[in-house]
Every structure is written in structure tokens, then in C-alpha cells.
Amino acid sequence: MKILLIYPEFPDTFWSFKHALKFIRKKSSTQPLGLLTVAAMLPEEWEKRLVDLNVRSLYDKDLAWADYAFISAMVVQRESTYKIIARCKAAGLKVVAGGPLFTAEYMQFPDVDHFVLNEAEMTLAPFLRDLERNQAQRVYTSDEFPEIQHTPTPLWELVEMKQYATMSIQYSRGCPFDCEFCNITALFGHLPRVKTSEQIIRELDGLYQLGWREPVFFVDDNLIGNKKRLREDLLPALIKWRKGKKGMPFNTEISINIADDEALMNMMTQAGFDTVFIGVETPDDHSLAECNKKQNLHRDLVADVKRIQRAGLQVQGGFIIGFDNDTPSIFQRQIDFIQKSGIVTAMVGLLQAPIGTRLYKRMKRDGRLTGSFSGDNVDGATNIIPKEMDMDILRKGYRAVVKTLYSPNNYYERVKTFLKEYKAPKITIPLKGEYIKAFFRSILHLGIIGNERIHYWKLIFWTLFRRPELFALAITFAIYGYHFRQVMDMYIL
Ligand code: B12
């Protein structure tokens, strides 16, 4: 059996980092981990090939080679997914589809032969068994959340690593919290299920042996969802593993309550974590209560963020505008809050209701749904009718927030606010020619041609004098800023 694993193309979005990746000659931010995991669960003797459309084209000869196409996607890749399915069908290939897009909306894909939905740990084996007997059904689904302690190491060898900026791995699934707008708990449950440290070390060893020294993204819904296992099993194993190794800084997603646990933050930085994404959402306690974001309520969120930064973890943040409690004052409050926090990578979106969330059900019940979730929560779109504010005011206000935050003046100011606070990480990526070239490209595009040139040079000199150890990070931020402005110009401004 010959299996062609296909990953559709991402549009140019906030998280695609497409405009930044050009500086380091990479094509995509991270590899399709779901497909590599599924590949490792298929019979060993089956031949497998991966085509990630974010790094290369899909050729007719790829389709002619295969017996089955296995496609994975998230909502934001919908458009490219339709095109791929049409090509596979035209080439006479059977299509098997799984992953979050299909789990949420498989009914929208009439041309797919088999849907293997939810977590493959539950649904793939029954599909393969039926396939062997020539009795494969159309839909395989499960409402159980499997243990992931037997999930195999992803088939790293299928990936052309040099095309990616980051490699991702996964330690846990699920999140103990219950935010109204988030579909993570609907997809993966409240009880975080974790792998063993042995599994993770095997995965890291695999990457290290293949020569990977660049960042590794732990794509957990909330890495600190099960603090006990993290503290007692994973982090000690990572700290030990790291001894004598070069590079491979880690980043991940966690909740703000990490700020209460100095010891845990120290263990994380010792283990090699240097960046965390946190759903900060809003400075408004009424809105936090409305969406049941209890973990963020009644806290000084700016002080929390600074504490995390001082511990050596860069904070990237998600922010939402358009809660029922939001009034037009929210626009300026969000701007002030984000500027003060020094969260450079601030993903600000309008509140949207993805299918499967409690918010979706509430909006449907109240007749406030206007369609489906676009899949990209920074495109300025929403599928809900706001309560307090007129839609026009909301849209205009949102645009103004994004424009203000990403204007070179405010963006570079935030970078400086952050660099002043941040404790430099011990783990750095070995310096390669490509990074030096990226620096010279940044001089050309940002320091000479770009509108931001004054800010760029000011940042360079400020960093050289005040935080020289963070020089590479400052350049990275300058390049990210360029990407964010390109994306915002296209979609929002
Ligand atoms: C890593 C990640 C990203 C990475 C990129 C990932 C990449 N290149 O593949 C980044 C940060 C770029 C990202 C961005 C976004 N993401 Co994202 N992301 C994730 C995250 C945290 C982990 C995905 C992952 O690798 N999981 C690990 C693998 C092993 O799991 P998996 O892919 O689900 O695969 C399993 C099964 O689904 C199944 N399976 C998967 N594919 C297939 C295929 C076949 C054929 C079969 C049989 C089975 C199968 O088997 C696997 C093993 O069980 C998930 C949340 C989550 N826990 O899954 C959200 C998630 C996928 N993202 C989501 C969203 C919405 C986004 C954004 C749109 C968010 C935004 N804020 O704008 C952006 C858009 C991306 C873009 N470029 O524009 C949603 C998708 C919802 C949906 N219904 O599609 C999720 C589920 C989070 C959520 N809150 O709901 N994301």
C-alpha cells in the first residue's frame, strides 16, 4: 500500500509567519505533526510520503504513485483542502480525511471517501481493520479521550526539516479550564492526558539525531494542565536530557497561573523553555467572568506577565475584543494594557464562536449567529452579532487597535519594554550563516528600505548598549514586526 500524506496550504495569516520566514529562507513555521503521528500508526510495511503544500507543490506524479491520500487540516486551510480533494478525486485516488477541520465539519466534504475523525488513537485501528476486510465505512468517530501513553514517535524521517523554522512535538492533550469560546475542551476534554517522559525523550532524541538544533514547539493546549506530572516527571527528565546538548530552545502554551509558581517557572527555564503563549484575553474583569476565564480573574495581569518575563519566559498573548460586556472604552484599554505588558506578539482578535463551543450554543440559542467561524481569528471577522456595540463601531474600533499596536512606533516601544524586563535564556541556537545573512537582509529591508528604519536603528543601538545578550532576539522582533505589518495591511488596515 502506498500512502500519500497531504497537508494543505495555510493562507497568509498572523501565525503563518510567511513574511518573516523569508529572512531565514524557511518555508513554513512548523511541520504537520498530526500526519506524522498518523503515519507512525500505519502498518510499517506500507510506503509513506509526505507532501506539505506549505513547503512544496503537489505534482501529478505524486498522485499517480499513491493508492490512498491521507489529508489533515484545520479550518483555516479549508480552501486549499477543497482543491486538493478535487485533484485527488480527478486522479482516481481514494481520500481519507482526519484532523480538526474534518472533526468539526465533515459534512461539508461530500467527496471524501473515509473520515477518520477525533483522535486517531481511537478511530484509526477500526478503520484499518475494516479496510483490510474491504469493508471500510465512511465515518469513524469516537467520543472517548484516549490515553496517549502508547502514541508512537512521529515519523520524523518523512519531513524535510530544513524547510521549517520549528519542529513541534506534543506532551499532553486537554485543558482543565472551561473558557466559553474555546473548543479545546470539546475536542480534547478537561482532564489533561500526558505522555511519559520516556516518550518525549525518544521524540527529542529522534530530532536531535537528525541534526535538529532549532526551536521545538510543545503544541500542548496547556502544558501546565497537569502540574504534578510536569514537575515530577517531564521537567526533571528534560533538565537531565539537556546536559551536554546544543540549541533546541522550547516554547509552548500555558495559562497565566504559572505566574504564581516561581519554582515551576525556574524548572521550565532550566529545562530550556524560553517562550510561552498565554490567553490573556482582556483587562476587563466583567468580560473575563462572562467567558468563564476564571484563571485570569481578579489578578494584576500586567504584573503577572512581567513576573513571567523576569523568570526568563517571553510571553506571547492572545487578546479578544467583542465580549457582551465590552463597551467602546475597551479599545483604548486594550491598547494601554498590551503596551504596558510588553507582550510583543499580541494576537488580537474579535470574539468568534467556533462550532462545538458553549459560546456557539449560546449564540445559536439567542439568534446571534451569522455563519461559521472563519478559522483565522485575526482577520477582523466574526460570526456573532455583538450585544452592546454596533457592528460598525466594533469593526472600526478593532481596526484602530490593531493599527495602533502594530504601528512601528508602538511596536518597537513594546519590544523595548519587553527587553528591559526579560531575563536572557541560557539556551541559544548555534549561530549559523543563515542567521548572519538574515541580519544583513533585515538591514536592507527594515533599516534602509522600510518605513520603520528610524525605529529599527534606535532598537539596534539601544540593545547593543543596554542588553547586548538579547541582540539576536531584538533582530527577530524587528523581522516579526515586518511580518505582522504585512499581514495586517492585507487583511485589516
Ligand atoms: C500547533 C497548533 C498550531 C500551529 C501550527 C500547526 C501546524 N503547522 O500544523 C500554529 C501556531 C501555527 C497554529 C495556528 C492556528 N491554529 Co492551531 N493549533 C495547534 C494545536 C495547539 C496543536 C496541533 C497539533 O499539532 N496537535 C498534535 C497532533 C498530534 O494532533 P492532531 O493534529 O489533532 O492529530 C491527531 C488527530 O486529529 C488525528 N488526525 C490529524 N490529522 C489526521 C489525518 C488523518 C488522515 C487521520 C486518519 C487522522 C488525523 O490523528 C492525530 C493523532 O490523534 C491545536 C490544538 C490541538 N490540541 O490539537 C490547535 C488548533 C489545530 N488550531 C486551531 C486554530 C483555530 C488555529 C488558528 C486559526 C488560530 C488563530 N489564532 O488564528 C491558527 C491558524 C493557522 C495559520 N497559519 O493561520 C484550532 C483548529 C480548529 C479547527 N476546527 O480547525 C485548534 C484545534 C485549536 C483550537 N482552539 O480549537 N496552530
Side-chain angles (χ1 to χ4, degrees), residues 7 10 13 72 74-75 98-100 120-121 183 188 219 221 347 375 377:
Y7 202 50
F10 282 110
T13 62
S72 174
M74 39 175 135
V75 171
E121 286 80 355
N183 53 352
F188 301 108
V219 295
D221 305 314
M347 176 184 79
N377 58 6

Side-chain angles (χ1 to χ4, degrees), residues 76-94:
V76 75
Q77 290 155 290
R78 198 188 272 125
E79 212 175 293
S80 168
T81 306
Y82 278 118
K83 288 189 190 143
I84 292 169
I85 294 172
R87 279 191 68 191
C88 290
K89 296 313 290 179
L93 259 189
K94 289 255 193 219

Side-chain angles (χ1 to χ4, degrees), residues 5 7 10-16 28-35 37-38 41 69-77 96-101 103-105 116-121 124 151 168 170 172-174 182-184 187-188 217 219-221 253 347 373 375-378:
L5 303 141
Y7 202 50
F10 282 110
D12 196 357
T13 62
F14 187 89
W15 288 118
S16 72
S28 181
S29 63
T30 186
Q31 91 291 10
L33 182 60
L35 279 177
T37 307
V38 168
M41 295 177 185
F70 275 45
I71 303 178
S72 174
M74 39 175 135
V75 171
V76 75
Q77 290 155 290
V96 180
L101 167 63
T103 296
E105 351 181 329
V116 181
L117 305 178
N118 304 102
E119 294 174 62
E121 286 80 355
L124 188 65
T151 301
S168 49
Q170 187 181 42
S172 69
R173 290 183 199 160
C182 178
N183 53 352
I184 280 299
L187 285 168
F188 301 108
F217 178 14
V219 295
D220 292 40
D221 305 314
E253 306 184 346
M347 176 184 79
F373 161 53
D376 177 359
N377 58 6
V378 279

Side-chain angles (χ1 to χ4, degrees), residues 9 34 60 114 126 162 192-193 201 240 259-260 263 269 287 310 333 338 369 389 398 400 442 469 473 476 483 487:
E9 194 176 357
D60 289 342
H114 306 284
K162 65 172 193 299
R193 291 159 287 136
I201 298 299
K240 194 166 153 220
D260 304 332
T269 51
S287 295
R310 281 198 297 271
R333 286 173 64 205
I338 294 169
L369 265 187
M389 266 186 277
Y398 171 71
S442 79
E469 71 281 20
L473 188 58
T476 307
H483 164 76
V487 172

